[in-house]
Amino acid sequence: MNPYVLSMIISSLGLGTTLTFISSHWLLAWMGLEINTLAIMPLMAQQHHPRAVEATTKYFLTQATAAALILFATTTNAWITGEWSIDHLSHPASTALATIAIALKIGLAPVHFWLPEVLQGLSLTTGLILSTWQKLAPMALIIQIAPNTDQLILTTLGILSTMVGGWGGLNQTQLRKILAYSSIAHLGWMVIILQYAPHLTILTLTIYILMTSTMFMVFNILKATKTSTLTLKWTKNPTLLAVTALSLLSLGGLPPLTGFMPKWLILQELTKQGLPLTATIMAMSALLSLFFYLRLCYAMVLTISPNTSNAQTPWRLQNLPTTLPLSAFMMTTTLMLPITPSILALTL
């Protein structure tokens, strides 16, 4: 892609997210979401491949539907209450519809069906942007309207997302689809605690972005899109694969790794709020996700050549310029749990 066009697209992505962040009026926030959607579509379709074009079309239709629902919900609220402010979305029907629309934008269950298919048709770099940056603006909106949202809606979205994210990833062999279901499951953890402790939602989102960025960067360096490809990589770069296995376990939420921090704090807060059954369901659904993370670890670390695989054996790995941010992300993905009290003190 032409560097001038690429710089314009990246600037538009930043502009759209910034507009949504700073807006207090629904129309300005809607404009920011639309700029975000239109900016990422050239990146999605740049491969000129049928799967990429199909993924771009699905993404456009889904995001256009969600944007129309947001506009309808906020217009209805303004018609009834006379308020266009994001903080004053108070009518129950408008609030519920806006919440469902934002859930559709970010891929929460039960409106998650587009996310695995879209992510599967993208390159790993564009998939990284879709899984991380594109979630910031909708999450900022849902955090702002959460105090006026019915708790039953958020609880249902959270539990369904963690269960669907766990069950959906069990039978997958494509790495991008596995990361898509991982995204759905982590979004469930963010939404379930939203009304009780918004700072934990922001903390979970931050750590999720760090962990997911790490995995996308690693798969991009390894040129891996399938589980079978990972079985041939250990002899090429054992150090990278060993640390990647730790990052995957962190993504699954195993102590003493960083990914355990948000799950631990969320379960603790749910128990404090008198919701032990919800906390138990969330903890059990996390085991489903942990299974396919462990399966990836097995494929990377415990399956070494010679073995039976249909994947093409790479001769050597290219030295890409992303190794420096990757090393920083891997450090934070695996080693941040001991400083949990300091992080909590900064977020509270």
Side-chain angles (χ1 to χ4, degrees), residues 209-252:
I209 288 175
L210 289 172
M211 295 188 295
T212 302
S213 301
T214 302
M215 297 317 305
F216 271 105
M217 286 182 183
V218 168
F219 294 152
N220 194 27
I221 287 177
L222 296 177
K223 303 298 181 192
T225 56
K226 296 182 293 186
T227 307
S228 58
T229 312
L230 292 177
T231 61
L232 305 170
K233 303 294 185 180
W234 176 262
T235 52
K236 307 297 179 186
N237 200 330
T239 306
L240 178 64
L241 267 292
V243 184
T244 303
L246 288 178
S247 300
L248 273 172
L249 295 179
S250 179
L251 200 60

Side-chain angles (χ1 to χ4, degrees), residues 260-291:
F260 176 64
M261 183 202 308
K263 291 183 170 61
W264 168 34
L265 295 173
I266 288 172
L267 292 177
Q268 184 181 22
E269 185 65 30
L270 287 174
T271 309
K272 282 182 184 178
Q273 297 292 338
L275 300 168
L277 180 60
T278 305
T280 304
I281 294 173
M282 298 294 289
M284 296 297 288
S285 62
L287 296 177
L288 295 171
S289 302
L290 184 61
F291 175 80

Side-chain angles (χ1 to χ4, degrees), residues 28-256:
L28 188 60
W30 176 80
M31 286 171 57
L33 293 175
E34 288 304 288
I35 292 173
N36 249 0
T37 301
L38 295 175
I40 197 175
M41 286 175 59
L43 291 177
M44 298 171 74
Q46 67 175 333
Q47 295 179 347
H48 302 295
H49 188 276
R51 285 201 68 103
V53 175
E54 179 188 351
T56 308
T57 307
K58 288 179 179 177
Y59 182 75
F60 172 72
L61 293 175
T62 307
Q63 298 299 307
T65 304
L69 285 176
I70 290 174
L71 207 56
F72 176 72
T74 52
T75 306
T76 305
N77 183 76
W79 181 34
I80 296 172
T81 65
E83 285 287 348
W84 278 100
S85 176
I86 296 176
D87 295 333
H88 291 85
L89 188 68
S90 55
H91 192 268
S94 299
T95 308
L97 190 58
T99 304
I100 297 299
I102 295 174
L104 178 60
K105 263 200 169 296
I106 58 179
L108 278 166
V111 285
H112 66 284
F113 299 101
W114 63 272
L115 183 57
E117 297 299 324
V118 168
L119 204 58
Q120 176 62 23
L122 305 180
S123 66
L124 288 167
T125 307
T126 312
L128 169 62
I129 298 173
L130 181 65
S131 299
T132 55
W133 184 264
Q134 291 297 94
K135 288 185 171 35
L136 294 177
M139 284 302 296
L141 290 179
I142 202 170
I143 288 172
Q144 291 181 74
I145 67 173
N148 300 323
T149 308
D150 185 9
Q151 178 58 33
L152 180 61
I153 296 176
L154 293 177
T155 304
T156 305
L157 288 173
I159 292 176
L160 274 177
S161 295
T162 50
M163 296 188 71
V164 166
W167 281 110
L170 290 179
N171 202 30
Q172 300 297 329
T173 58
Q174 298 290 330
L175 297 178
R176 285 166 291 187
K177 281 193 175 182
I178 288 176
L179 289 173
Y181 283 108
S182 168
S183 170
I184 295 168
H186 279 87
L187 286 170
W189 284 89
M190 297 174 208
V191 168
I192 198 77
I193 202 64
L194 193 51
Q195 278 195 336
Y196 304 113
H199 65 280
L200 289 184
T201 298
I202 298 172
L203 175 64
T204 309
L205 177 62
T206 305
I207 293 178
Y208 162 75
I209 288 175
L210 289 172
M211 295 188 295
T212 302
S213 301
T214 302
M215 297 317 305
F216 271 105
M217 286 182 183
V218 168
F219 294 152
N220 194 27
I221 287 177
L222 296 177
K223 303 298 181 192
T225 56
K226 296 182 293 186
T227 307
S228 58
T229 312
L230 292 177
T231 61
L232 305 170
K233 303 294 185 180
W234 176 262
T235 52
K236 307 297 179 186
N237 200 330
T239 306
L240 178 64
L241 267 292
V243 184
T244 303
L246 288 178
S247 300
L248 273 172
L249 295 179
S250 179
L251 200 60
L254 276 185

